[in-house]
Amino acid sequence: MVKLAILNQRIPPPQSSQAALDQLHSHQDRESLLSFLRSIAPNLDFYYATRDQDGDLRDLDSVDALFDRVKPTYVIHLAAKVGGLFANMSDKVGFFESNLAINSNVIKSSHKHGVKRLVCVLSTCIYPDVIEYPIEAGKLHAGPPHPSNEGYAYAKRMCALQCRLYNEQYGTNFVCVVPTNLYGPNDCYVPDSSHVVAALIRRASELPEGAPLTVWGSGTPLRQFCYTPDLACLLLWVAFDTSVAAEDPLPLLPENEHSIGDLARFIAQEFHGHQVVFDTSKADGQFRKCMSNAGLRAWLPNFNFTSLEEGIRLTVADYKANKDTYRHTTAAKL
């Protein structure tokens, strides 16, 4: 499982890259962004760090050894102890302590090794539970997060604070971004730790024809969903377009909200058209987490996200083609 995306710039980008960047700043759309990314890709080496080959990111010596070896120019920090609603509720201490250590070690090592740009990935779930919607990026510390995931949320809030303090004290170029509920190819389908889209896809795939698809909770909570290839483009944009700056975390997410019930119906359509039923004995969690993407739209007002229905179609097709290679029975490692 990829935890850090480390990028080394072999040579300065060619003049064509600057032209592509200028076009992006002018058109501010998806096509111009992809052209810019294609122009810089040949000058980069990509290294994807995982625990299996690179050690435990909760240990500072391991992180320093990794950075000493690969000498990163840019780092996209996706490392985290993650899980679904019930995993978060049952191990708040583990989620808090593990994520606090990971974040601190990556930030310290990025500063020590002179990383040009560190992009730290947060989550909408770290924002206050009781707040006016849509959530504004600057309201991160306006109240406590939902109790169900407070261990994870407070650790991620400290990541944003630590990045700001490093920028102020050391002049680093560290930025935090906020995606929303992610889904797409190469997801984790472990029953007890997968997120809602992967959990429902796996559940639907195992049902016999005619059986109902059971969804935990009422199906009424609203969420924004982002297809992972969309997020990948935006993360690389933030890493390499250094004119992008934000004092607050930068939201990288679409505007549209969908209910969990609608999500389940989209997934059911891609299998046997199962009837969707709701187990209201299970908790719903936070009802709504809608976040404003005004920060993103200030830079890329014309960027088009993949629709949820199309993204689910593509994700289910990928799952059917590759499910034997995906994780199903063992929890993801840190």
Side-chain angles (χ1 to χ4, degrees), residues 7-29:
L7 303 100
N8 292 322
Q9 191 173 54
R10 295 192 299 271
I11 58 175
Q15 189 172 357
S16 59
S17 295
Q18 183 58 52
L21 182 59
D22 292 341
Q23 182 178 19
L24 172 60
H25 290 166
S26 174
H27 293 183
Q28 302 172 324
D29 60 7

Side-chain angles (χ1 to χ4, degrees), residues 280-298:
T280 55
S281 69
K282 299 292 195 299
D284 271 335
Q286 198 169 351
F287 173 71
R288 193 182 185 209
K289 296 190 289 188
C290 173
M291 186 166 190
S292 168
N293 69 354
L296 170 65
R297 291 308 184 194

